[in-house]
Amino acid sequence: LAWLNKHYGDEGGTFTYTNLFMKPDQNCKGGESIWKSGAHFKREVYEEKIKPNYDVLFALDDDEMCCRMWKEQGVVCLQVK
């Protein structure tokens, strides 16, 4: 959150958000691999936490696999560079 606070925070340096879904830093937990591709992680978060609660108008993404996933979910995706 330090980067968000620094670049997008208010005068006090605090970035305010309702929900922030971030991929875990760690690649393994108790010897078990928990690594997921960005598209896999975003699909899970979208299906479980976003789709039931929000009306998503579009997504912005720079990853080709993620853009494909958004389109498969029926979400308009604008691929950014």
Side-chain angles (χ1 to χ4, degrees), residues 7-65:
H7 296 282
Y8 296 100
D10 58 20
E11 294 83 25
T14 302
F15 175 74
T16 305
Y17 55 91
T18 302
N19 290 298
L20 180 62
F21 306 107
M22 298 177 67
K23 196 171 170 183
D25 284 341
Q26 57 201 46
N27 285 329
C28 64
K29 185 176 184 178
E32 178 185 342
S33 176
I34 60 167
W35 183 87
K36 296 177 181 175
S37 70
H40 184 91
F41 175 76
K42 289 177 182 182
R43 174 181 280 121
E44 282 185 353
V45 169
Y46 176 71
E47 290 177 348
E48 295 171 12
K49 303 192 184 281
I50 297 172
K51 187 176 181 178
N53 300 303
Y54 300 95
D55 182 21
V56 177
L57 302 177
F58 63 92
L60 300 172
D61 214 307
D62 65 345
D63 183 274
E64 178 109 9
M65 296 292 289

